[in-house]
Amino acid sequence: MDLIIFNMMKKQMTIACILLAMTTIQAKAQSNKLLLNNHQYTGAVSKKKLYKAIYQLDSNDPKTIEKAIRNINNVLKDPRLKGHLQIELVAFSGGTEAYLKKNSQYEKPLQDLVEKGVIVAQCLNTLEEKHIAKEELFDFIGYVPSGNGELILRANEGWVIVKP
């Protein structure tokens, strides 16, 4: 009787091992399919006539300022968005540093953005709070009453807010 039970248990173990192996093989095949599908992904498809994004610059960290400018230039090169993109860069708080004439390393990159159609604007509240005269900023800078107000208005107009 013990031999019969032993053989039944042996068969059940064999069946369990086969099922486990099949499940593992099936999972591996599914994983390979997902990896292949992911490898073939090329991104979202542009379907709208116009996309709008406002970049929030509120830090005086040079890496953040450079990142904001680089991010805008990169998105302007995206073939899916070419001719369908409106961008604004609004600076307030510490971000105002990027627009100061004394920080001339940012003048040419910001000018280039404006020449590509990007609105480059400064918060007037920040200028007042920090006692900065408009004459201290690059001549091509635009102005908004408040940076946060600009973000709120743009968001309600359907603009995407990007914070580098």
Side-chain angles (χ1 to χ4, degrees):
M1 190 69 161
D2 288 341
L3 187 57
I4 294 173
I5 293 173
F6 175 76
N7 284 335
M8 285 177 51
M9 288 177 62
K10 189 174 168 184
K11 283 182 185 179
Q12 289 175 345
M13 285 296 284
T14 303
I15 291 170
C17 287
I18 291 170
L19 289 174
L20 180 62
M22 288 174 55
T23 304
T24 303
I25 291 168
Q26 194 174 28
K28 183 70 174 167
Q30 179 65 22
S31 174
N32 287 342
K33 182 180 178 189
L34 292 172
L35 292 172
L36 179 62
N37 286 345
N38 191 75
H39 175 71
Q40 294 172 345
Y41 182 70
T42 59
V45 176
S46 172
K47 297 177 182 175
K48 291 183 175 184
K49 198 171 196 169
L50 186 63
Y51 294 87
K52 301 173 185 178
I54 182 165
Y55 285 73
Q56 173 182 339
L57 183 57
D58 61 354
S59 170
N60 63 354
D61 178 4
K63 289 182 179 180
T64 302
I65 295 169
E66 291 163 10
K67 181 179 175 183
I69 294 168
R70 184 177 61 251
N71 285 177
I72 293 170
N73 277 311
N74 285 343
V75 78
L76 288 170
K77 293 177 195 171
D78 189 321
R80 300 168 298 171
L81 296 169
K82 275 212 186 269
H84 305 279
L85 190 58
Q86 187 174 352
I87 297 178
E88 180 176 340
L89 173 62
V90 63
F92 57 93
S93 189
T96 300
E97 290 290 317
Y99 295 174
L100 293 173
K101 289 178 182 175
K102 69 179 184 179
N103 293 321
S104 61
Q105 72 270 27
Y106 302 120
E107 183 174 14
K108 180 72 171 123
L110 290 169
Q111 234 175 5
D112 290 346
L113 290 179
V114 172
E115 289 171 358
K116 293 174 184 174
V118 175
I119 299 166
V120 176
Q122 169 61 45
C123 166
L124 289 172
N125 282 343
T126 298
L127 296 185
E128 185 179 329
E129 290 168 8
K130 293 183 178 255
H131 307 289
I132 299 171
K134 285 183 178 180
E135 292 73 30
E136 296 178 59
L137 277 63
F138 302 125
D139 297 335
F140 54 87
I141 300 298
Y143 297 93
V144 296
S146 75
N148 282 302
E150 189 72 0
L151 292 171
I152 291 167
L153 290 168
R154 292 302 197 188
N156 280 280
E157 293 172 351
W159 290 53
V160 172
I161 297 174
V162 181
K163 184 169 173 45

